[in-house]
Amino acid sequence: MINVRLEPEGRKVHFPKLGTVLQLLKKLGLGNNAALIIRDGELLTPDRRLHAGDEVVVRTVTSRG
Amino acid sequence: MKCRKCKAVAAVALPSHNTAFCPDCYPDFVRSQVERAIHRHKMIAPGDRVLVAVSGGKDSLALTLLLHELGHEVHGLHVDLDIPNSSTDARAACEGFFTKLGLPLTVIELHREGLAIPLVKSRIKRPICSVCGKLKRYYFNKFALENDYPVLATGHNLDDEVSRLFANTIRWDRAYLSDQGPLLPAENGFARKIKPMYRLTEFEIANFSFLRGIDHVIAGCPYSGKASFPIYKGLWSGLEERMPGAKVQFYENFLREGRPVFAAWSDQQGELPTPCTECGYPTSAERCGVCRIKAMVADDEK
Ligand SMILES: [Zn+2]
Ligand SMILES: [Zn+2]
């Protein structure tokens, strides 16, 4: 299982199986430049592999008015 | 993906530049984009003290850090809007950040001016975002002029600039199209305004802020729900996804091909602002927009 926390909302989603960050973005309906993907304090590019047990933060990129 | 510079594992992929960088090399890329913008548009003269308008968000705090690291003398200015569940966090983010860097920060409190945003919102029919923007621009400009800052910098990014340009283009608003750009020279009672981050997207700045550990507010303004800019930003991110580089092309080509045409039209109009009869701020009416807002809020108070 891969555990994903969506920021800024704080909602959590889980995926039984995912190959790469790109697949995660597609599942969430996000473009490549829509969010920061963070695992263990490290930024991941779309080609990086995800593994069972990963805790991933998806932080949508938005700016205040 | 590997870093273009050192071949380490990349942390940030940039399709519009057809490249990728590791955590150590990425900040240099961001700094060079800002340096290039400042240099190309002659934004800051040697020795200029720079007033930076900060909101507590990633863009304006990243700009502060970058200008400081590029060796400019930076002074922060924050306008506390007094919005519940939002303004306290924004102000604390600014204060914490400036204290950490050892840089001066001034806070203007709108409630002291009788213009706390919730009060203004309850008294005025117009969309609050445009009123709030007007108030912030007014106080930033006023502070810069009264305290002899030759230049006022804001954290506007490429996405901000493109969505604004797009909104102006949809309306073919000649007046706005004549003076949109990363540099507005000082004239007619306005300070010189610069946007040194205009070549960087929101995504690029978010990555920089993360890698440099900038503690910024993430939540948006609770009142911004109905603004039209998010719609344009959404359209443009879809376009950029399919055509990497579209944003920067649209904007840079406007600066080169479009803006001069509208600026020439605007010069022919020859309408110069005059000082507001109440506060002296430049305006095209007798009384400036902010003095009119103040009067409306005060009238209702009675
Ligand atoms: Zn590198
Ligand atoms: Zn006035």
Side-chain angles (χ1 to χ4, degrees):
Chain A
M1 192 71 85
I2 292 162
N3 303 310
V4 177
R5 186 185 147 83
L6 302 172
E7 290 186 0
E9 316 92 290
R11 196 158 57 87
K12 286 190 174 150
V13 281
H14 309 277
F15 296 97
K17 215 177 143 220
L18 278 174
T20 61
V21 168
L22 186 62
Q23 284 174 19
L24 170 62
L25 287 166
K26 288 230 167 86
K27 281 245 157 71
L28 295 170
L30 293 170
N32 285 4
N33 291 356
L36 304 186
I37 311 297
I38 307 158
R39 182 180 61 194
D40 299 330
E42 192 194 357
L43 290 176
L44 305 181
T45 51
D47 60 321
R48 294 291 291 277
R49 295 207 74 79
L50 297 173
H51 311 286
D54 276 356
E55 303 280 336
V56 180
V57 173
V58 175
R59 185 178 296 165
T60 316
V61 174
T62 43
S63 66
R64 296 161 60 92
Chain B
M1 264 180 241
K2 299 244 187 299
C3 173
R4 174 164 88 186
K5 276 172 89 178
C6 73
K7 310 299 172 209
V9 176
V12 189
L14 301 174
S16 62
H17 296 269
N18 197 13
T19 190
F21 294 102
C22 74
D24 292 333
C25 297
Y26 181 70
D28 296 340
F29 159 79
V30 171
R31 200 176 304 116
S32 72
Q33 290 290 333
V34 169
E35 221 173 351
R36 191 193 294 186
I38 292 172
H39 183 77
R40 187 190 289 179
H41 295 276
K42 299 187 177 62
M43 291 180 173
I44 304 171
D48 275 355
R49 295 186 308 150
V50 184
L51 186 67
V52 185
V54 287
S55 66
K58 63 183 184 314
D59 302 321
S60 54
L61 296 186
L63 173 63
T64 303
L65 180 62
L66 287 159
L67 290 175
H68 175 61
E69 288 183 349
L70 287 168
H72 299 291
E73 193 183 329
V74 173
H75 187 140
L77 181 62
H78 175 70
V79 174
D80 187 330
L81 306 169
D82 215 35
I83 298 173
N85 306 321
S86 165
S87 293
T88 337
D89 290 352
R91 179 175 178 163
C94 294
E95 287 172 341
F97 187 76
F98 275 76
T99 305
K100 206 164 123 191
L101 286 183
L103 296 174
L105 171 75
T106 300
V107 177
I108 293 174
E109 297 174 334
L110 279 192
H111 80 89
R112 284 178 191 272
E113 309 287 326
L115 291 169
I117 292 298
L119 174 69
V120 176
K121 185 176 169 9
S122 70
R123 301 289 155 83
I124 285 177
K125 308 263 175 324
R126 278 191 295 152
I128 192 64
C129 290
S130 70
V131 176
C132 183
K134 190 192 267 291
L135 291 172
K136 283 193 280 188
R137 282 193 298 277
Y138 177 92
Y139 285 104
F140 288 145
N141 192 58
K142 195 166 183 295
F143 188 91
L145 292 178
E146 285 175 357
N147 297 280
D148 291 321
Y149 283 92
V151 57
L152 170 64
T154 58
H156 290 101
N157 57 49
L158 182 62
D159 296 274
D160 297 328
E161 288 299 280
V162 164
S163 52
R164 195 148 84 94
L165 172 58
F166 193 56
N168 293 337
T169 306
I170 280 182
R171 296 194 315 274
W172 290 112
D173 189 320
R174 290 187 288 190
Y176 280 123
L177 288 167
S178 70
D179 69 356
Q180 186 181 349
L183 173 100
L184 295 178
E187 56 183 7
N188 312 316
F190 292 104
R192 186 195 326 153
K193 293 196 189 77
I194 61 170
K195 298 167 184 168
M197 304 225 282
Y198 83 96
R199 292 178 54 85
L200 293 159
T201 64
E202 208 155 48
F203 176 75
E204 288 164 354
I205 298 168
N207 279 288
F208 175 82
S209 298
F210 178 86
L211 290 172
R212 294 300 309 270
I214 294 176
D215 228 343
H216 60 88
V217 285
I218 293 173
C221 173
Y223 294 156
S224 70
K226 282 187 194 139
S228 58
F229 278 14
I231 299 174
Y232 297 141
K233 281 189 176 175
L235 278 174
W236 272 93
S237 65
L239 191 59
E240 180 75 22
E241 204 72 43
R242 296 170 71 176
M243 297 169 63
K247 280 179 198 166
V248 77
Q249 261 182 47
F250 178 65
Y251 192 71
E252 292 281 12
N253 288 347
F254 162 75
L255 291 182
R256 206 173 46 244
E257 309 292 344
R259 183 177 144 150
V261 178
F262 291 106
W265 166 83
S266 166
D267 286 346
Q268 278 174 16
Q269 305 301 304
E271 251 187 51
L272 288 180
T274 52
C276 166
T277 50
E278 266 166 56
C279 72
Y281 195 81
T283 174
S284 55
E286 206 169 289
R287 194 156 67 162
C288 80
V290 170
C291 286
R292 273 178 287 164
I293 292 167
K294 272 190 172 171
M296 268 189 265
V297 172
D299 272 354
D300 252 52
E301 208 86 304
K302 284 172 206 155

